[in-house]
């Protein structure tokens, strides 16, 4: 008897019926870049259709985001208010803290996740504090990171997302949150975060490019696969509620390993360089818009159940279109 897999591809309803993976807006997190001031909504040069938003403009935009199906946001600050040790990141009236409060007091319901790192707050743009001898000052770094995370929790964040890749930071943050009465605040850990060139556009958006050296001494080597599992295991041991792989598309094998290996939800970050690349190929009509859907369903297929994506505002329309094909 002839084998005919094409029988199940004949009609659109049959294709829908046998679809193995689905993309849904519930899985999507939208990254947002806050800036100081009022009335600011400026397109970010390196990231088309992404904006630097002042808090009032973000609040105005929340109903639109909700109408596009977005239920979760990841908050970053683009600030020139820097300090030597990054401690400015824990100011109760900082941009992220005020932003969290504003979103949480708006009638629009959003899950608010705050990225925790020092690079946005440090003069040298690094994610850690260095000692005189240029080695990482781990205790001091963990102390400041925990204070930043605590201040986000105090402002009302549902989750904090440490993106610094410092050893021991999940445990340090968990401990401070628990002691201070924030045991309900979840930690989404950037567990397998690679030293990637795909972060280029973000660093312009977040004003966080390192002023010397690079991040290879703390972010992972793109050549390494098994080491990602070690990082993921450690973060779960330390109390991570969700683990993340970042970037996404060039690291689908890592997402797949993480999903097979762990019992916690796996998130993947489709980063700024992936966004910029696909966006410009679509805009120049080198590929059609469905490439965006394809890039996202590939991430789901590989095992991530949560996706952070700058395409968030476009995804519902793409899902609807795909269902009609
Ligand atoms: C901060 C941070 C970065 C990203 C998220 N959090 C940049 C970096 O590590 O250099 C990258 C996000 C993106 O490229 O979209 N540590």
């Amino acid at each position: 008897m002839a084998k005919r897999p094409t029988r199940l591809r004949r009609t659109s309803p049959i294709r829908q019926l046998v679809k193995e993976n689905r993309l849904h807006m519930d899985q999507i997190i939208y990254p947002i870049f806050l800036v100081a001031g009022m009335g600011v909504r400026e397109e970010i040069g390196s990231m088309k259709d992404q904006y630097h938003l002042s808090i009032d403009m973000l609040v105005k935009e929340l109903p639109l985001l909700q109408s596009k199906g977005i239920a979760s946001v990841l908050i970053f600050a683009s600030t020139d208010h820097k300090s030597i040790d990054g401690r400015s990141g824990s100011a109760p009236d900082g941009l992220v803290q005020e932003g969290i409060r504003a979103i949480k007091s708006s009638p629009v319901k959003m899950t608010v996740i705050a990225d925790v790192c020092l690079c946005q707050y440090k003069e040298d743009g690094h994610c850690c504090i260095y000692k005189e001898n240029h080695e990482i000052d781990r205790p001091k770094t963990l102390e400041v990171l925990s204070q930043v995370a605590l201040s986000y929790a105090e402002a009302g964040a549902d989750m904090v997302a440490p993106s610094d890749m410092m050893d021991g930071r999940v445990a340090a943050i968990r401990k401070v949150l628990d002691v201070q009465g924030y045991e309900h605040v979840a930690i989404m850990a950037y567990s397998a975060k690679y030293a990637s060139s795909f972060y280029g556009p973000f660093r312009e958006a977040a004003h966080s490019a390192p002023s010397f050296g690079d991040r290879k001494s703390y972010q992972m080597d793109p050549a390494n696969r098994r080491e990602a599992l070690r990082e993921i295991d450690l973060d779960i041991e330390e109390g991570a509620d969700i683990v993340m792989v970042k970037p996404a598309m060039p690291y689908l094998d890592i997402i797949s390993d993480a999903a097979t290996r762990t019992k916690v939800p796996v998130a993947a970050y489709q980063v700024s360089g992936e966004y910029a690349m696909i966006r410009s190929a679509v805009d120049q009509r080198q590929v059609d818009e469905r490439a965006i859907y394809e890039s996202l369903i590939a991430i789901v297929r590989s095992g991530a159940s949560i996706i952070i994506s700058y395409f968030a505002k476009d995804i519902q329309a793409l899902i609807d279109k795909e269902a009609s094909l």
Side-chain angles (χ1 to χ4, degrees):
M1 190 184 47
K3 304 284 190 291
R4 298 273 186 260
T6 54
R7 263 180 220 127
L8 297 182
R9 293 177 208 149
R10 265 182 56 243
T11 69
S12 173
I14 297 176
R15 289 194 293 274
Q16 294 300 326
L17 189 67
V18 300
K19 204 178 277 296
E20 294 178 36
N21 292 285
R22 287 186 167 79
L23 186 61
H24 195 280
M25 285 309 293
D26 289 348
Q27 307 175 269
I28 304 295
I29 300 173
Y30 184 40
I32 283 175
F33 297 98
L34 287 175
V35 290
M38 291 277 285
V40 185
R41 187 175 191 272
E42 260 170 38
E43 190 167 25
I44 297 168
S46 55
M47 298 175 73
K48 210 181 146 215
D49 198 31
Q50 303 300 318
Y51 298 85
H52 277 136
L53 291 171
S54 55
I55 293 172
D56 59 319
M57 294 304 272
L58 169 61
V59 170
K60 266 196 202 151
E61 195 148 321
L62 290 176
L64 173 83
L65 301 186
Q66 189 181 41
S67 74
K68 304 269 184 197
I70 296 169
S72 304
V73 291
L74 175 63
I75 306 285
F76 294 96
S78 298
T79 170
D80 293 321
H81 187 69
K82 316 254 183 204
S83 53
I84 288 178
D85 61 4
R87 224 172 264 279
S88 55
S90 63
D93 60 349
L95 206 46
V96 172
Q97 292 82 352
E98 296 285 17
I100 295 169
R101 275 189 213 103
I103 302 172
K104 281 295 174 188
S105 49
S106 129
V108 176
K109 282 208 168 25
M110 283 276 165
T111 296
V112 178
I113 308 164
D115 183 276
V116 175
C117 199
L118 302 187
C119 58
Q120 297 163 87
Y121 300 117
K122 279 186 82 230
E123 280 165 9
D124 66 11
H126 276 285
C127 307
C128 57
I129 298 166
Y130 286 110
K131 296 191 276 202
E132 303 259 310
N133 64 4
H134 301 297
E135 295 296 330
I136 293 172
D137 188 336
R138 218 167 304 277
K140 209 165 163 192
T141 301
L142 296 189
E143 196 256 313
V144 180
L145 281 170
S146 311
Q147 290 308 312
V148 173
L150 174 62
S151 73
Y152 294 167
E154 283 168 348
D158 296 289
M159 289 187 206
V160 292
S163 65
D164 50 281
M165 287 301 277
M166 295 299 129
D167 301 329
R169 92 277 205 212
V170 173
I173 291 172
R174 186 72 272 161
K175 191 169 162 206
V176 170
L177 291 181
D178 289 352
V179 168
Q180 299 294 329
Y182 296 97
E183 55 285 305
H184 58 281
V185 173
I187 299 178
M188 176 167 77
Y190 289 68
S191 302
K193 176 173 179 180
Y194 285 86
S196 172
S197 293
F198 288 96
Y199 307 149
F202 172 96
R203 290 182 188 168
E204 187 185 323
H207 306 179
S208 68
S211 60
F212 63 86
D214 51 41
R215 305 208 201 284
K216 290 196 185 77
S217 65
Y218 42 95
Q219 298 181 347
M220 282 185 58
D221 181 343
N224 292 359
R225 179 169 181 172
R226 295 168 58 246
E227 190 190 358
L229 288 174
R230 184 155 184 255
E231 286 284 6
I232 286 168
D233 284 351
L234 286 171
D235 281 359
I236 294 174
E237 256 171 57
E238 290 180 28
D241 300 283
I242 298 172
V243 292
M244 192 205 295
V245 175
K246 175 183 174 193
M249 198 151 74
Y251 297 88
L252 295 178
D253 55 331
I254 311 300
I255 298 174
S256 168
D257 287 354
T260 312
R261 166 87 159 235
T262 66
K263 295 182 185 65
V264 300
V266 174
Y269 199 141
Q270 183 180 54
V271 300
S272 55
E274 297 176 72
Y275 170 78
M277 215 164 55
I278 300 170
R279 177 95 272 165
S280 79
V282 169
D283 291 350
Q284 292 173 43
R285 299 180 193 275
Q286 291 165 316
V287 296
D288 77 63
E289 200 184 37
R290 187 165 177 264
I292 301 170
Y293 166 82
E294 209 175 316
S295 72
L296 295 163
I297 199 71
I299 297 169
V300 174
R301 193 187 63 233
S302 68
S305 55
I306 300 170
I307 304 176
I308 300 157
S309 173
Y310 299 99
F311 287 115
K313 284 186 285 186
D314 307 324
I315 297 175
Q316 186 58 61
L318 292 167
I319 295 172
D320 294 345
K321 208 164 174 187
E322 189 62 25
S324 66
L325 293 178

